[in-house]
PDB file of all heavy atoms in Angstrom:
ATOM      1  N   THR A   1      86.098 179.661 143.460  1.00 95.00           N
ATOM      2  CA  THR A   1      87.457 179.172 143.678  1.00 95.00           C
ATOM      3  C   THR A   1      88.513 179.965 142.924  1.00 95.00           C
ATOM      4  O   THR A   1      89.706 179.746 143.130  1.00 95.00           O
ATOM      5  CB  THR A   1      87.561 177.695 143.268  1.00 95.00           C
ATOM      6  OG1 THR A   1      87.193 177.568 141.890  1.00 95.00           O
ATOM      7  CG2 THR A   1      86.642 176.837 144.129  1.00 95.00           C
ATOM      8  N   ARG A   2      88.093 180.855 142.039  1.00 96.00           N
ATOM      9  CA  ARG A   2      89.049 181.652 141.277  1.00 96.00           C
ATOM     10  C   ARG A   2      88.778 183.127 141.509  1.00 96.00           C
ATOM     11  O   ARG A   2      87.629 183.558 141.599  1.00 96.00           O
ATOM     12  CB  ARG A   2      88.974 181.305 139.796  1.00 96.00           C
ATOM     13  CG  ARG A   2      89.367 179.860 139.522  1.00 96.00           C
ATOM     14  CD  ARG A   2      89.462 179.553 138.054  1.00 96.00           C
ATOM     15  NE  ARG A   2      89.922 178.174 137.841  1.00 96.00           N
ATOM     16  CZ  ARG A   2      90.138 177.632 136.657  1.00 96.00           C
ATOM     17  NH1 ARG A   2      89.952 178.357 135.553  1.00 96.00           N
ATOM     18  NH2 ARG A   2      90.527 176.383 136.547  1.00 96.00           N
ATOM     19  N   PHE A   3      89.864 183.875 141.598  1.00 96.00           N
ATOM     20  CA  PHE A   3      89.779 185.293 141.894  1.00 96.00           C
ATOM     21  C   PHE A   3      90.730 186.050 140.985  1.00 96.00           C
ATOM     22  O   PHE A   3      91.715 185.493 140.497  1.00 96.00           O
ATOM     23  CB  PHE A   3      90.181 185.574 143.358  1.00 96.00           C
ATOM     24  CG  PHE A   3      89.661 184.585 144.335  1.00 96.00           C
ATOM     25  CD1 PHE A   3      90.411 183.473 144.679  1.00 96.00           C
ATOM     26  CD2 PHE A   3      88.412 184.745 144.903  1.00 96.00           C
ATOM     27  CE1 PHE A   3      89.927 182.542 145.581  1.00 96.00           C
ATOM     28  CE2 PHE A   3      87.925 183.825 145.815  1.00 96.00           C
ATOM     29  CZ  PHE A   3      88.676 182.714 146.142  1.00 96.00           C
ATOM     30  N   ASP A   4      90.435 187.308 140.803  1.00 97.00           N
ATOM     31  CA  ASP A   4      91.354 188.148 140.053  1.00 97.00           C
ATOM     32  C   ASP A   4      91.302 189.553 140.656  1.00 97.00           C
ATOM     33  O   ASP A   4      90.247 189.993 141.136  1.00 97.00           O
ATOM     34  CB  ASP A   4      90.965 188.189 138.573  1.00 97.00           C
ATOM     35  CG  ASP A   4      92.130 188.544 137.675  1.00 97.00           C
ATOM     36  OD1 ASP A   4      93.175 189.014 138.187  1.00 97.00           O
ATOM     37  OD2 ASP A   4      92.012 188.354 136.448  1.00 97.00           O
ATOM     38  N   PHE A   5      92.444 190.204 140.637  1.00 98.00           N
ATOM     39  CA  PHE A   5      92.551 191.550 141.178  1.00 98.00           C
ATOM     40  C   PHE A   5      93.369 192.413 140.233  1.00 98.00           C
ATOM     41  O   PHE A   5      94.323 191.936 139.612  1.00 98.00           O
ATOM     42  CB  PHE A   5      93.237 191.542 142.550  1.00 98.00           C
ATOM     43  CG  PHE A   5      92.481 190.811 143.611  1.00 98.00           C
ATOM     44  CD1 PHE A   5      92.711 189.473 143.849  1.00 98.00           C
ATOM     45  CD2 PHE A   5      91.527 191.471 144.374  1.00 98.00           C
ATOM     46  CE1 PHE A   5      92.007 188.788 144.823  1.00 98.00           C
ATOM     47  CE2 PHE A   5      90.817 190.801 145.356  1.00 98.00           C
ATOM     48  CZ  PHE A   5      91.045 189.450 145.577  1.00 98.00           C
ATOM     49  N   ALA A   6      93.020 193.669 140.155  1.00 98.00           N
ATOM     50  CA  ALA A   6      93.824 194.614 139.391  1.00 98.00           C
ATOM     51  C   ALA A   6      95.166 194.824 140.083  1.00 98.00           C
ATOM     52  O   ALA A   6      95.280 194.647 141.307  1.00 98.00           O
ATOM     53  CB  ALA A   6      93.083 195.942 139.261  1.00 98.00           C
ATOM     54  N   ASP A   7      96.158 195.189 139.312  1.00 97.00           N
ATOM     55  CA  ASP A   7      97.500 195.389 139.874  1.00 97.00           C
ATOM     56  C   ASP A   7      97.508 196.449 140.970  1.00 97.00           C
ATOM     57  O   ASP A   7      98.242 196.330 141.958  1.00 97.00           O
ATOM     58  CB  ASP A   7      98.481 195.773 138.760  1.00 97.00           C
ATOM     59  CG  ASP A   7      98.778 194.621 137.819  1.00 97.00           C
ATOM     60  OD1 ASP A   7      98.498 193.462 138.198  1.00 97.00           O
ATOM     61  OD2 ASP A   7      99.283 194.876 136.706  1.00 97.00           O
ATOM     62  N   PHE A   8      96.681 197.464 140.823  1.00 97.00           N
ATOM     63  CA  PHE A   8      96.724 198.562 141.802  1.00 97.00           C
ATOM     64  C   PHE A   8      96.190 198.138 143.173  1.00 97.00           C
ATOM     65  O   PHE A   8      96.372 198.840 144.150  1.00 97.00           O
ATOM     66  CB  PHE A   8      95.959 199.791 141.292  1.00 97.00           C
ATOM     67  CG  PHE A   8      94.491 199.559 141.029  1.00 97.00           C
ATOM     68  CD1 PHE A   8      93.581 199.464 142.064  1.00 97.00           C
ATOM     69  CD2 PHE A   8      94.020 199.458 139.727  1.00 97.00           C
ATOM     70  CE1 PHE A   8      92.236 199.256 141.829  1.00 97.00           C
ATOM     71  CE2 PHE A   8      92.681 199.246 139.467  1.00 97.00           C
ATOM     72  CZ  PHE A   8      91.777 199.138 140.518  1.00 97.00           C
ATOM     73  N   VAL A   9      95.542 196.978 143.253  1.00 96.00           N
ATOM     74  CA  VAL A   9      95.040 196.517 144.548  1.00 96.00           C
ATOM     75  C   VAL A   9      96.198 196.196 145.490  1.00 96.00           C
ATOM     76  O   VAL A   9      96.128 196.467 146.692  1.00 96.00           O
ATOM     77  CB  VAL A   9      94.116 195.307 144.352  1.00 96.00           C
ATOM     78  CG1 VAL A   9      93.794 194.648 145.687  1.00 96.00           C
ATOM     79  CG2 VAL A   9      92.840 195.729 143.643  1.00 96.00           C
ATOM     80  N   GLU A  10      97.258 195.619 144.949  1.00 94.00           N
ATOM     81  CA  GLU A  10      98.487 195.373 145.723  1.00 94.00           C
ATOM     82  C   GLU A  10      98.228 194.638 147.033  1.00 94.00           C
ATOM     83  O   GLU A  10      98.805 194.973 148.076  1.00 94.00           O
ATOM     84  CB  GLU A  10      99.201 196.697 145.997  1.00 94.00           C
ATOM     85  CG  GLU A  10      99.623 197.431 144.732  1.00 94.00           C
ATOM     86  CD  GLU A  10     100.234 198.789 145.029  1.00 94.00           C
ATOM     87  OE1 GLU A  10      99.749 199.476 145.941  1.00 94.00           O
ATOM     88  OE2 GLU A  10     101.197 199.157 144.330  1.00 94.00           O
ATOM     89  N   GLY A  11      97.331 193.657 147.019  1.00 95.00           N
ATOM     90  CA  GLY A  11      97.084 192.835 148.193  1.00 95.00           C
ATOM     91  C   GLY A  11      96.208 193.472 149.260  1.00 95.00           C
ATOM     92  O   GLY A  11      96.026 192.895 150.339  1.00 95.00           O
ATOM     93  N   ARG A  12      95.653 194.631 148.999  1.00 98.00           N
ATOM     94  CA  ARG A  12      94.872 195.334 150.011  1.00 98.00           C
ATOM     95  C   ARG A  12      93.410 194.884 150.077  1.00 98.00           C
ATOM     96  O   ARG A  12      92.744 195.094 151.107  1.00 98.00           O
ATOM     97  CB  ARG A  12      94.908 196.845 149.718  1.00 98.00           C
ATOM     98  CG  ARG A  12      96.302 197.431 149.741  1.00 98.00           C
ATOM     99  CD  ARG A  12      96.277 198.920 149.396  1.00 98.00           C
ATOM    100  NE  ARG A  12      95.828 199.146 148.015  1.00 98.00           N
ATOM    101  CZ  ARG A  12      94.863 200.006 147.684  1.00 98.00           C
ATOM    102  NH1 ARG A  12      94.261 200.727 148.608  1.00 98.00           N
ATOM    103  NH2 ARG A  12      94.524 200.163 146.412  1.00 98.00           N
ATOM    104  N   PHE A  13      92.895 194.295 149.004  1.00 98.00           N
ATOM    105  CA  PHE A  13      91.478 193.914 148.929  1.00 98.00           C
ATOM    106  C   PHE A  13      91.334 192.398 148.902  1.00 98.00           C
ATOM    107  O   PHE A  13      92.205 191.669 148.407  1.00 98.00           O
ATOM    108  CB  PHE A  13      90.846 194.473 147.649  1.00 98.00           C
ATOM    109  CG  PHE A  13      90.863 195.962 147.497  1.00 98.00           C
ATOM    110  CD1 PHE A  13      90.390 196.548 146.332  1.00 98.00           C
ATOM    111  CD2 PHE A  13      91.325 196.803 148.510  1.00 98.00           C
ATOM    112  CE1 PHE A  13      90.388 197.919 146.158  1.00 98.00           C
ATOM    113  CE2 PHE A  13      91.329 198.183 148.356  1.00 98.00           C
ATOM    114  CZ  PHE A  13      90.865 198.730 147.173  1.00 98.00           C
ATOM    115  N   THR A  14      90.218 191.917 149.434  1.00 98.00           N
ATOM    116  CA  THR A  14      89.845 190.516 149.269  1.00 98.00           C
ATOM    117  C   THR A  14      88.403 190.464 148.775  1.00 98.00           C
ATOM    118  O   THR A  14      87.626 191.394 148.991  1.00 98.00           O
ATOM    119  CB  THR A  14      89.977 189.726 150.580  1.00 98.00           C
ATOM    120  OG1 THR A  14      89.147 190.339 151.578  1.00 98.00           O
ATOM    121  CG2 THR A  14      91.419 189.696 151.069  1.00 98.00           C
ATOM    122  N   ILE A  15      88.062 189.360 148.125  1.00 98.00           N
ATOM    123  CA  ILE A  15      86.713 189.184 147.600  1.00 98.00           C
ATOM    124  C   ILE A  15      86.193 187.832 148.047  1.00 98.00           C
ATOM    125  O   ILE A  15      86.960 186.860 148.133  1.00 98.00           O
ATOM    126  CB  ILE A  15      86.704 189.323 146.059  1.00 98.00           C
ATOM    127  CG1 ILE A  15      85.283 189.376 145.532  1.00 98.00           C
ATOM    128  CG2 ILE A  15      87.527 188.223 145.396  1.00 98.00           C
ATOM    129  CD1 ILE A  15      85.202 189.785 144.054  1.00 98.00           C
ATOM    130  N   SER A  16      84.913 187.778 148.366  1.00 97.00           N
ATOM    131  CA  SER A  16      84.303 186.537 148.822  1.00 97.00           C
ATOM    132  C   SER A  16      82.842 186.540 148.424  1.00 97.00           C
ATOM    133  O   SER A  16      82.296 187.563 148.012  1.00 97.00           O
ATOM    134  CB  SER A  16      84.445 186.396 150.348  1.00 97.00           C
ATOM    135  OG  SER A  16      83.792 187.470 151.011  1.00 97.00           O
ATOM    136  N   ARG A  17      82.200 185.376 148.554  1.00 95.00           N
ATOM    137  CA  ARG A  17      80.778 185.315 148.226  1.00 95.00           C
ATOM    138  C   ARG A  17      80.065 184.379 149.185  1.00 95.00           C
ATOM    139  O   ARG A  17      80.661 183.433 149.711  1.00 95.00           O
ATOM    140  CB  ARG A  17      80.575 184.899 146.779  1.00 95.00           C
ATOM    141  CG  ARG A  17      80.996 183.514 146.380  1.00 95.00           C
ATOM    142  CD  ARG A  17      80.933 183.344 144.851  1.00 95.00           C
ATOM    143  NE  ARG A  17      79.619 183.683 144.307  1.00 95.00           N
ATOM    144  CZ  ARG A  17      79.390 183.954 143.013  1.00 95.00           C
ATOM    145  NH1 ARG A  17      80.371 183.915 142.134  1.00 95.00           N
ATOM    146  NH2 ARG A  17      78.163 184.251 142.599  1.00 95.00           N
ATOM    147  N   ASP A  18      78.793 184.682 149.391  1.00 95.00           N
ATOM    148  CA  ASP A  18      77.912 183.893 150.238  1.00 95.00           C
ATOM    149  C   ASP A  18      76.748 183.457 149.356  1.00 95.00           C
ATOM    150  O   ASP A  18      75.859 184.257 149.064  1.00 95.00           O
ATOM    151  CB  ASP A  18      77.443 184.743 151.423  1.00 95.00           C
ATOM    152  CG  ASP A  18      76.586 183.968 152.395  1.00 95.00           C
ATOM    153  OD1 ASP A  18      75.939 182.985 151.992  1.00 95.00           O
ATOM    154  OD2 ASP A  18      76.542 184.359 153.574  1.00 95.00           O
ATOM    155  N   TYR A  19      76.741 182.187 148.959  1.00 92.00           N
ATOM    156  CA  TYR A  19      75.719 181.712 148.042  1.00 92.00           C
ATOM    157  C   TYR A  19      74.325 181.750 148.679  1.00 92.00           C
ATOM    158  O   TYR A  19      73.344 182.037 148.001  1.00 92.00           O
ATOM    159  CB  TYR A  19      76.048 180.294 147.580  1.00 92.00           C
ATOM    160  CG  TYR A  19      77.280 180.220 146.713  1.00 92.00           C
ATOM    161  CD1 TYR A  19      78.509 179.853 147.253  1.00 92.00           C
ATOM    162  CD2 TYR A  19      77.216 180.522 145.353  1.00 92.00           C
ATOM    163  CE1 TYR A  19      79.644 179.797 146.457  1.00 92.00           C
ATOM    164  CE2 TYR A  19      78.347 180.460 144.555  1.00 92.00           C
ATOM    165  CZ  TYR A  19      79.555 180.100 145.121  1.00 92.00           C
ATOM    166  OH  TYR A  19      80.687 180.043 144.333  1.00 92.00           O
ATOM    167  N   ALA A  20      74.240 181.481 149.949  1.00 93.00           N
ATOM    168  CA  ALA A  20      72.943 181.479 150.633  1.00 93.00           C
ATOM    169  C   ALA A  20      72.287 182.854 150.600  1.00 93.00           C
ATOM    170  O   ALA A  20      71.062 182.962 150.556  1.00 93.00           O
ATOM    171  CB  ALA A  20      73.104 181.008 152.069  1.00 93.00           C
ATOM    172  N   LYS A  21      73.116 183.893 150.601  1.00 94.00           N
ATOM    173  CA  LYS A  21      72.599 185.262 150.594  1.00 94.00           C
ATOM    174  C   LYS A  21      72.678 185.895 149.205  1.00 94.00           C
ATOM    175  O   LYS A  21      72.341 187.063 149.049  1.00 94.00           O
ATOM    176  CB  LYS A  21      73.370 186.125 151.595  1.00 94.00           C
ATOM    177  CG  LYS A  21      73.215 185.660 153.037  1.00 94.00           C
ATOM    178  CD  LYS A  21      73.969 186.575 153.984  1.00 94.00           C
ATOM    179  CE  LYS A  21      73.777 186.116 155.432  1.00 94.00           C
ATOM    180  NZ  LYS A  21      74.515 186.984 156.390  1.00 94.00           N
ATOM    181  N   SER A  22      73.152 185.141 148.221  1.00 93.00           N
ATOM    182  CA  SER A  22      73.339 185.669 146.855  1.00 93.00           C
ATOM    183  C   SER A  22      74.158 186.956 146.890  1.00 93.00           C
ATOM    184  O   SER A  22      73.842 187.926 146.187  1.00 93.00           O
ATOM    185  CB  SER A  22      71.977 185.926 146.199  1.00 93.00           C
ATOM    186  OG  SER A  22      71.254 184.728 146.060  1.00 93.00           O
ATOM    187  N   ALA A  23      75.193 186.944 147.703  1.00 95.00           N
ATOM    188  CA  ALA A  23      75.977 188.154 147.926  1.00 95.00           C
ATOM    189  C   ALA A  23      77.454 187.936 147.613  1.00 95.00           C
ATOM    190  O   ALA A  23      77.984 186.835 147.789  1.00 95.00           O
ATOM    191  CB  ALA A  23      75.836 188.621 149.367  1.00 95.00           C
ATOM    192  N   VAL A  24      78.080 189.001 147.162  1.00 97.00           N
ATOM    193  CA  VAL A  24      79.527 189.043 146.964  1.00 97.00           C
ATOM    194  C   VAL A  24      80.045 190.254 147.718  1.00 97.00           C
ATOM    195  O   VAL A  24      79.439 191.329 147.673  1.00 97.00           O
ATOM    196  CB  VAL A  24      79.884 189.139 145.475  1.00 97.00           C
ATOM    197  CG1 VAL A  24      81.383 189.386 145.289  1.00 97.00           C
ATOM    198  CG2 VAL A  24      79.485 187.849 144.753  1.00 97.00           C
ATOM    199  N   TYR A  25      81.160 190.062 148.419  1.00 98.00           N
ATOM    200  CA  TYR A  25      81.718 191.125 149.247  1.00 98.00           C
ATOM    201  C   TYR A  25      83.114 191.507 148.761  1.00 98.00           C
ATOM    202  O   TYR A  25      83.911 190.649 148.384  1.00 98.00           O
ATOM    203  CB  TYR A  25      81.804 190.663 150.700  1.00 98.00           C
ATOM    204  CG  TYR A  25      80.496 190.161 151.238  1.00 98.00           C
ATOM    205  CD1 TYR A  25      80.266 188.795 151.394  1.00 98.00           C
ATOM    206  CD2 TYR A  25      79.474 191.048 151.579  1.00 98.00           C
ATOM    207  CE1 TYR A  25      79.053 188.329 151.875  1.00 98.00           C
ATOM    208  CE2 TYR A  25      78.265 190.587 152.056  1.00 98.00           C
ATOM    209  CZ  TYR A  25      78.058 189.230 152.204  1.00 98.00           C
ATOM    210  OH  TYR A  25      76.860 188.776 152.673  1.00 98.00           O
ATOM    211  N   LEU A  26      83.393 192.788 148.811  1.00 98.00           N
ATOM    212  CA  LEU A  26      84.734 193.292 148.510  1.00 98.00           C
ATOM    213  C   LEU A  26      85.237 193.992 149.763  1.00 98.00           C
ATOM    214  O   LEU A  26      84.750 195.067 150.116  1.00 98.00           O
ATOM    215  CB  LEU A  26      84.706 194.256 147.329  1.00 98.00           C
ATOM    216  CG  LEU A  26      86.072 194.784 146.887  1.00 98.00           C
ATOM    217  CD1 LEU A  26      86.918 193.653 146.306  1.00 98.00           C
ATOM    218  CD2 LEU A  26      85.925 195.909 145.862  1.00 98.00           C
ATOM    219  N   GLN A  27      86.159 193.352 150.447  1.00 98.00           N
ATOM    220  CA  GLN A  27      86.776 193.936 151.635  1.00 98.00           C
ATOM    221  C   GLN A  27      87.978 194.756 151.196  1.00 98.00           C
ATOM    222  O   GLN A  27      88.913 194.228 150.598  1.00 98.00           O
ATOM    223  CB  GLN A  27      87.226 192.833 152.599  1.00 98.00           C
ATOM    224  CG  GLN A  27      87.947 193.333 153.830  1.00 98.00           C
ATOM    225  CD  GLN A  27      87.052 194.121 154.763  1.00 98.00           C
ATOM    226  OE1 GLN A  27      85.914 193.742 155.010  1.00 98.00           O
ATOM    227  NE2 GLN A  27      87.554 195.235 155.269  1.00 98.00           N
ATOM    228  N   MET A  28      87.939 196.033 151.496  1.00 98.00           N
ATOM    229  CA  MET A  28      88.993 196.951 151.073  1.00 98.00           C
ATOM    230  C   MET A  28      89.708 197.494 152.306  1.00 98.00           C
ATOM    231  O   MET A  28      89.095 198.175 153.128  1.00 98.00           O
ATOM    232  CB  MET A  28      88.408 198.092 150.239  1.00 98.00           C
ATOM    233  CG  MET A  28      87.583 197.613 149.050  1.00 98.00           C
ATOM    234  SD  MET A  28      87.090 198.953 147.941  1.00 98.00           S
ATOM    235  CE  MET A  28      86.027 199.898 149.012  1.00 98.00           C
ATOM    236  N   ASN A  29      90.975 197.174 152.425  1.00 98.00           N
ATOM    237  CA  ASN A  29      91.798 197.638 153.544  1.00 98.00           C
ATOM    238  C   ASN A  29      92.858 198.625 153.050  1.00 98.00           C
ATOM    239  O   ASN A  29      93.140 198.697 151.846  1.00 98.00           O
ATOM    240  CB  ASN A  29      92.475 196.443 154.209  1.00 98.00           C
ATOM    241  CG  ASN A  29      91.480 195.435 154.747  1.00 98.00           C
ATOM    242  OD1 ASN A  29      90.405 195.796 155.238  1.00 98.00           O
ATOM    243  ND2 ASN A  29      91.825 194.160 154.669  1.00 98.00           N
ATOM    244  N   SER A  30      93.424 199.356 153.966  1.00 98.00           N
ATOM    245  CA  SER A  30      94.497 200.310 153.642  1.00 98.00           C
ATOM    246  C   SER A  30      94.098 201.205 152.470  1.00 98.00           C
ATOM    247  O   SER A  30      94.862 201.386 151.507  1.00 98.00           O
ATOM    248  CB  SER A  30      95.793 199.556 153.314  1.00 98.00           C
ATOM    249  OG  SER A  30      96.178 198.733 154.396  1.00 98.00           O
ATOM    250  N   LEU A  31      92.906 201.761 152.565  1.00 98.00           N
ATOM    251  CA  LEU A  31      92.410 202.591 151.472  1.00 98.00           C
ATOM    252  C   LEU A  31      93.249 203.856 151.312  1.00 98.00           C
ATOM    253  O   LEU A  31      93.783 204.402 152.285  1.00 98.00           O
ATOM    254  CB  LEU A  31      90.946 202.952 151.723  1.00 98.00           C
ATOM    255  CG  LEU A  31      89.957 201.811 151.433  1.00 98.00           C
ATOM    256  CD1 LEU A  31      88.611 202.089 152.081  1.00 98.00           C
ATOM    257  CD2 LEU A  31      89.805 201.615 149.936  1.00 98.00           C
ATOM    258  N   LYS A  32      93.344 204.273 150.056  1.00 98.00           N
ATOM    259  CA  LYS A  32      94.119 205.457 149.701  1.00 98.00           C
ATOM    260  C   LYS A  32      93.203 206.480 149.026  1.00 98.00           C
ATOM    261  O   LYS A  32      92.164 206.097 148.464  1.00 98.00           O
ATOM    262  CB  LYS A  32      95.230 205.065 148.721  1.00 98.00           C
ATOM    263  CG  LYS A  32      96.126 203.931 149.170  1.00 98.00           C
ATOM    264  CD  LYS A  32      97.087 203.541 148.061  1.00 98.00           C
ATOM    265  CE  LYS A  32      97.943 202.352 148.441  1.00 98.00           C
ATOM    266  NZ  LYS A  32      98.877 201.973 147.346  1.00 98.00           N
ATOM    267  N   PRO A  33      93.583 207.738 149.032  1.00 97.00           N
ATOM    268  CA  PRO A  33      92.759 208.742 148.338  1.00 97.00           C
ATOM    269  C   PRO A  33      92.519 208.389 146.869  1.00 97.00           C
ATOM    270  O   PRO A  33      91.431 208.684 146.338  1.00 97.00           O
ATOM    271  CB  PRO A  33      93.585 210.019 148.487  1.00 97.00           C
ATOM    272  CG  PRO A  33      94.320 209.829 149.779  1.00 97.00           C
ATOM    273  CD  PRO A  33      94.664 208.368 149.814  1.00 97.00           C
ATOM    274  N   GLU A  34      93.474 207.745 146.227  1.00 97.00           N
ATOM    275  CA  GLU A  34      93.289 207.375 144.821  1.00 97.00           C
ATOM    276  C   GLU A  34      92.286 206.241 144.611  1.00 97.00           C
ATOM    277  O   GLU A  34      91.950 205.915 143.471  1.00 97.00           O
ATOM    278  CB  GLU A  34      94.629 207.009 144.168  1.00 97.00           C
ATOM    279  CG  GLU A  34      95.449 206.007 144.950  1.00 97.00           C
ATOM    280  CD  GLU A  34      96.501 206.667 145.829  1.00 97.00           C
ATOM    281  OE1 GLU A  34      96.171 207.677 146.519  1.00 97.00           O
ATOM    282  OE2 GLU A  34      97.647 206.170 145.847  1.00 97.00           O
ATOM    283  N   ASP A  35      91.800 205.652 145.690  1.00 98.00           N
ATOM    284  CA  ASP A  35      90.735 204.653 145.592  1.00 98.00           C
ATOM    285  C   ASP A  35      89.352 205.307 145.523  1.00 98.00           C
ATOM    286  O   ASP A  35      88.343 204.603 145.352  1.00 98.00           O
ATOM    287  CB  ASP A  35      90.767 203.705 146.787  1.00 98.00           C
ATOM    288  CG  ASP A  35      92.004 202.818 146.811  1.00 98.00           C
ATOM    289  OD1 ASP A  35      92.384 202.311 145.735  1.00 98.00           O
ATOM    290  OD2 ASP A  35      92.585 202.650 147.900  1.00 98.00           O
ATOM    291  N   THR A  36      89.301 206.609 145.659  1.00 98.00           N
ATOM    292  CA  THR A  36      88.031 207.329 145.581  1.00 98.00           C
ATOM    293  C   THR A  36      87.395 207.138 144.206  1.00 98.00           C
ATOM    294  O   THR A  36      88.015 207.418 143.176  1.00 98.00           O
ATOM    295  CB  THR A  36      88.251 208.829 145.853  1.00 98.00           C
ATOM    296  OG1 THR A  36      88.701 208.989 147.199  1.00 98.00           O
ATOM    297  CG2 THR A  36      86.961 209.610 145.637  1.00 98.00           C
ATOM    298  N   ALA A  37      86.154 206.637 144.207  1.00 98.00           N
ATOM    299  CA  ALA A  37      85.451 206.345 142.961  1.00 98.00           C
ATOM    300  C   ALA A  37      84.060 205.832 143.288  1.00 98.00           C
ATOM    301  O   ALA A  37      83.746 205.546 144.451  1.00 98.00           O
ATOM    302  CB  ALA A  37      86.209 205.287 142.156  1.00 98.00           C
ATOM    303  N   VAL A  38      83.252 205.695 142.257  1.00 98.00           N
ATOM    304  CA  VAL A  38      81.996 204.958 142.375  1.00 98.00           C
ATOM    305  C   VAL A  38      82.310 203.504 142.038  1.00 98.00           C
ATOM    306  O   VAL A  38      82.915 203.220 140.998  1.00 98.00           O
ATOM    307  CB  VAL A  38      80.915 205.499 141.430  1.00 98.00           C
ATOM    308  CG1 VAL A  38      79.650 204.664 141.539  1.00 98.00           C
ATOM    309  CG2 VAL A  38      80.623 206.962 141.759  1.00 98.00           C
ATOM    310  N   TYR A  39      81.926 202.619 142.924  1.00 98.00           N
ATOM    311  CA  TYR A  39      82.192 201.196 142.750  1.00 98.00           C
ATOM    312  C   TYR A  39      80.924 200.481 142.294  1.00 98.00           C
ATOM    313  O   TYR A  39      79.856 200.663 142.887  1.00 98.00           O
ATOM    314  CB  TYR A  39      82.709 200.592 144.050  1.00 98.00           C
ATOM    315  CG  TYR A  39      84.154 200.948 144.322  1.00 98.00           C
ATOM    316  CD1 TYR A  39      84.508 202.246 144.687  1.00 98.00           C
ATOM    317  CD2 TYR A  39      85.167 200.000 144.188  1.00 98.00           C
ATOM    318  CE1 TYR A  39      85.837 202.593 144.908  1.00 98.00           C
ATOM    319  CE2 TYR A  39      86.498 200.332 144.416  1.00 98.00           C
ATOM    320  CZ  TYR A  39      86.820 201.633 144.772  1.00 98.00           C
ATOM    321  OH  TYR A  39      88.136 201.967 144.997  1.00 98.00           O
ATOM    322  N   TYR A  40      81.073 199.656 141.251  1.00 98.00           N
ATOM    323  CA  TYR A  40      79.957 198.923 140.674  1.00 98.00           C
ATOM    324  C   TYR A  40      80.236 197.420 140.727  1.00 98.00           C
ATOM    325  O   TYR A  40      81.373 196.989 140.502  1.00 98.00           O
ATOM    326  CB  TYR A  40      79.762 199.290 139.208  1.00 98.00           C
ATOM    327  CG  TYR A  40      79.502 200.733 138.919  1.00 98.00           C
ATOM    328  CD1 TYR A  40      80.550 201.635 138.719  1.00 98.00           C
ATOM    329  CD2 TYR A  40      78.199 201.220 138.826  1.00 98.00           C
ATOM    330  CE1 TYR A  40      80.311 202.969 138.443  1.00 98.00           C
ATOM    331  CE2 TYR A  40      77.942 202.551 138.557  1.00 98.00           C
ATOM    332  CZ  TYR A  40      79.002 203.414 138.378  1.00 98.00           C
ATOM    333  OH  TYR A  40      78.747 204.741 138.102  1.00 98.00           O
ATOM    334  N   CYS A  41      79.196 196.646 140.986  1.00 98.00           N
ATOM    335  CA  CYS A  41      79.333 195.205 140.766  1.00 98.00           C
ATOM    336  C   CYS A  41      78.566 194.850 139.496  1.00 98.00           C
ATOM    337  O   CYS A  41      77.632 195.562 139.097  1.00 98.00           O
ATOM    338  CB  CYS A  41      78.861 194.392 141.957  1.00 98.00           C
ATOM    339  SG  CYS A  41      77.103 194.499 142.346  1.00 98.00           S
TER     340      CYS A  41
END
């Protein structure tokens, strides 16, 4: 029920989770070249 985002996300990303699948998803829209990185959970 609680979420947090870095300022640079600027509303472009959403986060959700599926307890049945033990999964968390990060939906990233309007990606920019500066988003290039290795992403870790």
Side-chain angles (χ1 to χ4, degrees):
T1 58
R2 297 187 177 182
F3 319 91
D4 203 346
F5 296 92
D7 290 343
F8 61 76
V9 169
E10 299 176 322
R12 300 178 295 129
F13 300 176
T14 58
I15 190 169
S16 61
R17 66 189 305 162
D18 183 334
Y19 293 98
K21 297 182 179 179
S22 297
V24 172
Y25 306 104
L26 183 67
Q27 177 67 43
M28 306 188 295
N29 300 324
S30 302
L31 283 163
K32 307 174 184 180
E34 50 264 45
D35 293 318
T36 295
V38 177
Y39 284 71
Y40 301 88
C41 65

